[in-house]
Amino acid sequence: MKHHLASAIAISLLAAIPASAQVAATVQNVPDMPYQAVPGFFHGIPAGDYLGEMQGIATNSKGHVFAFFRGPNTRLWEFDQTGKFVREIGKDFYGFMFAHSVRVDRHDNIWTVDEGTNVVTKFDPTGSKVLLVIGHHPDAAMGPIASPRGPNAPAEKYTLCRPTDVAWDMQDNIFISDGYCNNRVVKYDKDGRFLAQNGSEKVGKGDNEYNLPHGLQVDRAGNVYVADRGNARYVVLDNNLKWKTSYNNVGSAWSACISNGQHQYLFANNANPNGNPPGSWSRTGQIYKMELDGKVLGKFGNAGKLAPGFQVVHMFDCRDPDVIYTGEIESWRMQKFVLKGSK
Amino acid sequence: MKRFATLLLAAAAIVAVPAMAQEISFTASDPLQLPRNGFFGAVAGVATDSKGHVFVYSRTGTPVATLGGARPFVRAGSVLTEFDQNGKYVRSVGQNLYGALAAAAVRVDRNDNVWIVDTYSGMVIKFDPQLRIAMMLGRKPESVEVPAQPNAGRAPAGAPAASGMQSDLFEGPTDVAWDNDGNIFVADGTGNARVAKFDRNGVFVKSWGSRGSGNDQFSTARSIAVDGAGNVYVADRGNNRIQVFDNNGTFKSSITTAGNPQAICVSPGAHQYLYASNSNPANDLDSGGEIYKLELNGTVVGRFGRAGRVLKEFNGVNAIDCRTANQLYVAEMGNWRVQKLNLQ
């Protein structure tokens, strides 16, 4: 009976998850992976300057780390492989208004996803040239505009609506999770021409439906893994965006990361947002390591206001599956972790 | 009924585009070099001067409004940048300029004065060749509306919007051009739907046009050019045509062979050509986007390009510079880029 009740509660949670709510993972008996934080790894930030809400964090092939965050303006900073601040990219750039994700493709091009301008921008590896712009920056208006009410406008091929993340397959096709006011995944070719979409502007919880697709990754075979945050599940699509399966046992599904290398792993992020009753942080916050087929291998980390706890991991990098960089939205913090013997 | 009218318009657009226009082969490059950490946003305007310097007027950010007062004030959002003939950065103007909110156009007159048109400040600003301010047309609204009002045109009390007022204030101006006497023609624009004529000293002479689809009417007056004889060409985007007027605004003819034009340019020299861009809208990369080369009477010489994101493709062309024969600069709103084209 008690078990039955717990199931009923879990189902009602799945039915309507507020954007801020926590979701306890249902997977059982997951081993804790030993790990070590690297305190003070990031350094050399110019005196008097600050990070802000850390939305995106990504490494390139040389180990440089790119951080995309919401300061007074949205900003993109580059750190070297020792964690030392190198420079700012795109100060006051037209495509930066409200950061959401940064990712680095296999050619080391830097891609930013901005949910204020509704634009995904591809920079060259030095961050000095814009190579591609996807989406449409809203025109300025002479005065504030009220937030739209009512149903979302129909999804369009070349207009994004608060996009959240970007990824690529080995043919350099572009996949975008879109987003807060569309509820779909879009595939473009390498030059940005529309190929396919899965989902629509409408919110849903069935197959081929999403409730805030909040992040995505693509494996080497071209399969697409979508963090369907509002439905607390990871959706797996094939390369043509045909529905394959979903994993719904690892918590809130805020964002995803797939590691490099011959044996790729899927990391899942059960983030721990604010606005919850006492005690709720003890049940969430961890990052899960999984096989691509959904088998859960281990977990590490926990919610916490103070480092090395997580105060809401928004995006994270796992290029090397034993080295995890996290960007935390509510602590304005970046951290580096080394997983021990997890290979 | 409205739907029927839209269908008719769509059908007219298909008929208007010549199916067999000759393809002009061309090469393209992206030659302008901004300083480290400098980027264009939506590029509204590009123009060259007599030395080959290139001026770009780009939206670089969203205008910023103040909060807390009874009236919100707004500033910043666009920058005018100068490059030399090799594409090397020279200087930028705009962050400290009261009228630079949302770029619409930059044009260089035959004395190398640089003119910018700003669609949201409603101003046309003339700089001398050293980029010192020489003359102002229009006036920036003191504060912005809460909530934002649609850009529906300034009108005399009691008159419907964009009804063709005689005024030297603009609403959503888009472009500026001059005849050989220095008379100034302002395309005004997307809020109003008219052309305003000023003499060389900026004295308001007259205005013509209102919103509509008849002769002397515009859906939007989106771009403007003047030929050596003083005829005025207006890109009437929304009505799929370029209207031609004499120097006093008397309707002469409509050119319907170049799609739905967003940017036009008349080249100098003894034999002048008219270039017109059938620019794709922001939400469609799969149709349109090509540029036409026309005789001044509207006969199509050829066409080139298509909508897209890579070099030799265009996304939302908003300006064409055609000072040098068969060498064009085009400004793209959608690709945040200026391309230099060489036509064969």
Side-chain angles (χ1 to χ4, degrees):
Chain A
M1 180 61 205
K2 193 176 176 187
H3 183 77
H4 187 69
L5 188 64
S7 298
I9 289 168
I11 287 164
S12 67
L13 268 176
L14 278 174
I17 297 158
S20 62
Q22 300 185 29
V23 182
T26 55
V27 62
Q28 301 290 325
N29 302 320
V30 179
D32 283 307
M33 295 186 292
Y35 70 99
Q36 192 167 44
V38 186
F41 177 75
F42 293 101
H43 62 283
I45 292 169
D49 217 338
Y50 296 92
L51 294 168
E53 288 195 338
M54 296 303 309
Q55 301 294 317
I57 186 165
T59 59
N60 70 8
S61 65
K62 294 193 286 289
H64 281 218
V65 181
F66 298 87
F68 194 38
F69 64 94
R70 299 168 181 167
N73 294 315
T74 272
R75 305 172 81 177
L76 176 61
W77 283 2
E78 179 177 357
F79 297 81
D80 71 13
Q81 64 278 12
T82 71
K84 186 180 174 204
F85 176 84
V86 178
R87 64 181 153 200
E88 176 164 10
I89 293 169
K91 184 171 175 3
D92 300 329
F93 175 54
Y94 189 60
F96 292 174
M97 197 185 313
F98 208 54
H100 203 271
S101 181
V102 62
R103 300 279 191 180
V104 177
D105 69 21
R106 66 196 178 99
H107 310 291
D108 275 350
N109 299 304
I110 308 154
W111 298 63
T112 55
V113 181
D114 188 281
E115 60 133 319
T117 60
N118 293 333
V119 162
V120 175
T121 305
K122 175 188 184 182
F123 293 92
D124 74 346
T126 67
S128 56
K129 185 87 182 164
V130 170
L131 301 179
L132 209 58
V133 176
I134 296 178
H136 174 59
H137 187 301
D139 293 328
M142 285 301 278
I145 295 174
S147 296
R149 294 172 194 278
N152 294 330
E156 295 185 62
K157 286 195 287 187
Y158 293 106
T159 303
L160 306 173
C161 199
R162 298 183 64 190
T164 54
D165 207 358
V166 64
W168 317 269
D169 62 19
M170 297 302 280
Q171 288 73 47
D172 298 324
N173 292 307
I174 303 159
F175 299 82
I176 294 173
S177 49
D178 176 40
Y180 282 85
C181 42
N182 285 324
N183 285 281
R184 63 172 180 171
V185 176
V186 199
K187 179 182 181 183
Y188 298 99
D189 76 6
K190 67 179 173 52
D191 295 329
R193 212 166 276 282
F194 178 91
L195 294 176
Q197 72 171 6
N198 184 275
S200 69
E201 72 279 3
K202 295 185 180 68
V203 172
K205 58 187 178 184
D207 290 3
N208 302 302
E209 293 181 327
Y210 302 89
N211 182 356
L212 179 45
H214 194 247
L216 86 173
Q217 289 273 270
V218 177
D219 70 16
R220 189 174 291 99
N223 299 305
V224 184
Y225 300 76
V226 187
D228 184 12
R229 176 176 142 190
N231 289 325
R233 66 182 178 185
Y234 288 89
V235 169
V236 187
L237 306 172
D238 76 8
N239 193 255
N240 296 314
L241 305 186
K242 293 282 182 295
W243 186 277
K244 293 180 77 170
T245 185
S246 66
Y247 312 144
N248 56 9
N249 58 349
V250 285
S252 65
W254 265 47
S255 51
C257 186
I258 290 180
S259 58
N260 269 10
Q262 277 308 309
H263 188 143
Q264 294 187 287
Y265 297 97
L266 169 65
F267 289 86
N269 170 24
N270 184 16
N272 53 303
N274 265 318
N276 295 281
S280 51
W281 272 34
S282 63
R283 298 184 290 120
T284 61
Q286 66 279 58
I287 290 175
Y288 289 90
K289 182 179 183 182
M290 307 162 74
E291 299 286 4
L292 295 180
D293 67 6
K295 183 186 176 198
V296 179
L297 300 173
K299 67 181 197 300
F300 83 100
N302 55 271
K305 293 274 185 192
L306 302 177
F310 294 145
Q311 192 175 352
V312 193
V313 173
H314 189 263
M315 293 279 172
F316 58 111
D317 182 274
C318 64
R319 175 182 291 268
D320 177 340
D322 288 340
V323 179
I324 307 292
Y325 294 97
T326 57
E328 292 163 62
I329 182 170
E330 290 179 12
S331 62
W332 306 0
R333 184 163 60 202
M334 305 156 66
Q335 296 192 68
K336 177 179 182 177
F337 297 92
V338 179
L339 302 186
K340 290 178 169 173
S342 67
K343 270 179 180 161
Chain B
M1 181 59 207
K2 191 174 173 189
R3 184 183 166 83
F4 184 67
T6 309
L7 281 174
L8 271 180
L9 272 178
I14 291 164
V15 171
V17 178
M20 298 305 288
Q22 185 197 335
E23 283 287 333
I24 299 173
S25 64
F26 71 109
T27 58
S29 62
D30 180 5
L32 303 182
Q33 303 139 30
L34 281 158
R36 171 87 209 171
N37 245 337
F39 297 94
F40 295 131
V43 184
V46 62
T48 57
D49 71 7
S50 64
K51 298 191 294 286
H53 279 216
V54 184
F55 296 85
V56 175
Y57 194 32
S58 170
R59 300 179 189 179
T60 52
T62 302
V64 176
T66 56
L67 296 176
R71 294 189 300 162
F73 305 100
V74 68
R75 63 180 161 79
S78 289
V79 170
L80 170 66
T81 309
E82 177 180 357
F83 301 85
D84 72 11
Q85 61 278 10
N86 300 316
K88 191 166 167 247
Y89 173 83
V90 177
R91 59 183 151 176
S92 285
V93 171
Q95 297 295 12
N96 299 315
L97 195 68
Y98 182 65
L101 296 182
V106 57
R107 299 274 195 177
V108 179
D109 69 22
R110 62 204 180 101
N111 298 314
D112 279 349
N113 300 300
V114 180
W115 299 62
I116 61 171
V117 181
D118 193 283
T119 191
Y120 284 118
S121 69
M123 298 194 69
V124 177
I125 303 172
K126 175 187 181 182
F127 297 92
D128 71 11
Q130 287 73 46
L131 297 187
R132 295 175 298 219
I133 288 174
M135 188 163 74
M136 302 287 196
L137 303 176
R139 186 179 178 230
K140 176 183 171 181
E142 290 187 356
S143 58
V144 296
E145 303 284 339
V146 182
Q149 296 299 309
N151 194 347
R154 297 184 192 211
S163 59
M165 61 166 187
Q166 294 287 328
S167 165
D168 56 1
L169 290 174
F170 310 121
E171 187 78 8
T174 54
D175 205 359
V176 63
W178 316 269
D179 63 19
N180 284 337
D181 297 326
N183 292 307
I184 305 158
F185 299 85
V186 176
D188 177 40
T190 54
N192 292 321
R194 60 164 193 159
V195 174
K197 179 179 180 181
F198 299 79
D199 76 10
R200 59 185 301 136
N201 298 314
V203 176
F204 181 53
V205 177
K206 68 182 297 187
S207 153
W208 70 87
S210 60
R211 181 148 293 133
S213 58
N215 294 341
D216 299 312
Q217 292 191 310
F218 306 99
S219 174
T220 59
R222 197 61 193 265
S223 183
I224 192 166
V226 179
D227 69 16
N231 298 308
V232 181
Y233 300 74
V234 184
D236 183 8
R237 184 165 172 88
N239 285 333
N240 296 287
R241 64 186 179 184
I242 298 164
Q243 289 193 65
V244 188
F245 302 89
D246 74 10
N247 198 261
N248 293 312
T250 304
F251 175 81
K252 293 180 74 173
S253 63
S254 270
I255 295 172
T256 57
T257 48
N260 200 9
Q262 181 167 337
I264 61 174
C265 183
V266 170
S267 63
H271 186 152
Q272 295 186 286
Y273 291 100
L274 171 64
Y275 291 93
S277 171
N278 180 33
S279 305
N280 60 300
N283 59 359
D284 186 8
L285 277 186
D286 298 321
S287 61
E290 75 280 7
I291 297 173
Y292 292 88
K293 182 178 185 180
L294 308 151
E295 301 287 356
L296 294 185
N297 67 7
T299 303
V300 176
V301 177
R303 53 171 278 178
F304 55 93
R306 64 165 184 162
R309 303 188 200 277
V310 299
L311 281 181
K312 298 187 71 174
E313 295 180 338
F314 308 120
N315 190 0
V317 168
N318 198 61
I320 301 171
D321 177 86
C322 61
R323 175 184 292 267
T324 306
N326 293 320
Q327 178 184 292
L328 307 181
Y329 286 91
V330 297
E332 295 171 83
M333 296 292 280
N335 286 335
W336 305 1
R337 176 178 67 185
V338 172
Q339 289 189 69
K340 184 181 185 180
L341 312 179
N342 283 294
L343 309 187
Q344 304 297 305

